[in-house]
Amino acid sequence: MADIKKIPVDIQVVVGLVLLTAVFILIPQLSDSAIRTVLGLPMVLFLPGYALIAALFPKNDDLDGIERVALSFGLSIAVVPLIGLGLNYTPWGIRLLPILISLSIFTIGMCIIAVMRRSNLPEEEEAFHVPFRQTYESLQDEFHSESQSRLDKALTIILVISILASVVTLIYVVVTPKQGEQFTEFYILGSGGMADDYPVNYTLGDSGKVILGVVNHEYEDVNYTIDIQLENQSLQTIQEVNLEHNQTWEQPVTVTPPFNGTDMKLQFLLYKNGNYTESYRDLHLWINVSENTND
């Protein structure tokens, strides 16, 4: 087993963040917290690229700090979609768990390569490292330096507080997005699950099948009711469709016209939270029903 003290601190931080992100995604009690989002952003936007850069450029003088940070963001934005594209052609598809596993394997794999390449560098070449300790000691010296005036110390403290406040504000904006427009999607699909091939020609006594769908974007739990009418005569009522925000309900519905006619209006009326005075959404098809000549 490798000595953890020989693993560079920046690699330890990357692996630790990857494992911590996996914990907050996989454990149900933690997956609903805002920390999951805070950890997920660097997992997608920074860590894969940083690990790849660490593996490609192990020497300290290969790249400067700004170049490493910029390339880490850029390569993450390039690598993550490629991993998603590859998953799209596998049986697992582009879903949360396969993406998490793939990104974790890629990032930790690149970290292992980075550690091996840094440890195999010749003695005359310095391996890249993030100067965490030197930065901390430098900040300590700044705060405790007797040569600094009170004004300089105050300005330094204000600068640090401003940076921390900016980070906290950014995290708040990310984890508490502004509420958008409130609306409900209501749609009809043909029996094949597409927005075409609707059953519009019937023989009296025959049935047709459509797929009704409702998507709640109301930012609250909503109780929907659907009433199916033919020429203002109720044929069927679907009640108690309870949906949370961003939840989707989709179900096949069989329609059996009870009388014949031409260009009759088949309506699908959506009601919200028991308010039946006026439909919240209204969809319709024009259908023809001919008499059964076999009778």
Side-chain angles (χ1 to χ4, degrees), residues 3-294:
D3 186 356
I4 193 171
K5 294 182 179 179
K6 294 182 180 180
I7 300 176
V9 178
D10 60 319
I11 300 299
Q12 292 183 37
V13 171
V14 171
V15 173
L17 287 174
V18 170
L19 297 178
L20 193 60
T21 303
V23 168
F24 272 86
I25 290 177
L26 297 177
I27 297 179
Q29 292 82 356
L30 302 175
S31 61
D32 293 331
S33 67
I35 300 177
R36 167 183 167 173
T37 303
V38 175
L39 292 172
L41 287 175
M43 179 71 176
V44 173
L45 299 177
F46 184 77
L47 298 183
Y50 183 88
L52 180 57
I53 288 296
L56 293 175
F57 302 102
K59 293 189 294 183
N60 193 45
D61 56 358
D62 283 336
L63 298 170
D64 60 32
I66 296 177
E67 289 174 332
R68 285 183 182 272
V69 171
L71 285 173
S72 296
F73 281 108
L75 286 178
S76 293
I77 295 172
V79 166
V80 173
L82 289 176
I83 292 176
L85 181 63
L87 286 174
N88 188 48
Y89 293 98
T90 67
W92 306 290
I94 304 176
R95 294 182 291 110
L96 178 60
L97 188 58
I99 290 175
L100 173 64
I101 294 174
S102 300
L103 284 180
S104 300
I105 291 175
F106 175 84
T107 305
I108 294 176
M110 290 299 103
C111 286
I112 293 173
I113 295 174
V115 172
M116 294 174 60
R117 294 201 66 193
R118 289 184 191 180
S119 61
N120 291 330
L121 286 175
E123 294 183 1
E124 63 272 11
E125 294 183 348
E126 183 182 1
F128 173 75
H129 67 283
V130 179
F132 291 110
R133 182 181 295 276
Q134 293 90 326
T135 302
Y136 173 72
E137 291 175 351
S138 176
L139 288 174
Q140 274 192 322
D141 292 340
E142 287 291 326
F143 282 112
H144 296 94
S145 175
E146 296 182 358
S147 62
Q148 271 195 325
S149 66
R150 290 185 178 180
L151 177 60
D152 291 336
K153 289 183 179 180
L155 291 175
T156 302
I157 293 172
I158 291 172
L159 177 61
V160 172
I161 293 175
S162 300
I163 294 172
L164 292 176
S166 300
V167 172
V168 171
T169 303
L170 177 61
I171 292 173
Y172 175 79
V173 170
V174 170
V175 301
T176 56
K178 183 179 178 181
Q179 180 171 308
E181 181 184 358
Q182 295 174 276
F183 65 99
T184 295
E185 292 182 52
F186 185 39
Y187 57 87
I188 309 174
L189 303 176
S191 58
M194 304 295 290
D196 59 7
D197 195 26
Y198 298 109
V200 294
N201 294 306
Y202 295 81
T203 300
L204 192 61
D206 289 345
S207 300
K209 182 179 291 185
V210 296
I211 298 173
L212 290 181
V214 181
V215 186
N216 179 7
H217 297 294
E218 303 286 351
Y219 290 89
E220 63 180 3
D221 294 353
V222 179
N223 182 26
Y224 297 100
T225 301
I226 301 172
D227 188 27
I228 304 174
Q229 298 182 2
L230 179 61
E231 294 292 291
N232 298 319
Q233 177 178 324
S234 181
L235 303 181
Q236 181 181 351
T237 301
I238 303 172
Q239 294 180 324
E240 301 301 326
V241 180
N242 298 297
L243 298 180
E244 299 176 356
H245 175 61
N246 277 339
Q247 188 176 3
T248 300
W249 174 90
E250 201 172 272
Q251 180 174 304
V253 174
T254 300
V255 177
T256 306
F259 49 85
N260 63 295
T262 303
D263 290 334
M264 295 190 296
K265 191 175 185 179
L266 178 63
Q267 289 182 285
F268 302 86
L269 305 177
L270 181 70
Y271 296 94
K272 176 183 173 184
N273 289 332
N275 182 6
Y276 301 108
T277 56
E278 185 178 358
S279 62
Y280 183 55
R281 293 287 185 270
D282 180 357
L283 301 171
H284 66 271
L285 297 172
W286 296 100
I287 68 171
N288 301 308
V289 182
S290 60
E291 293 185 0
N292 193 338
T293 57
N294 294 326

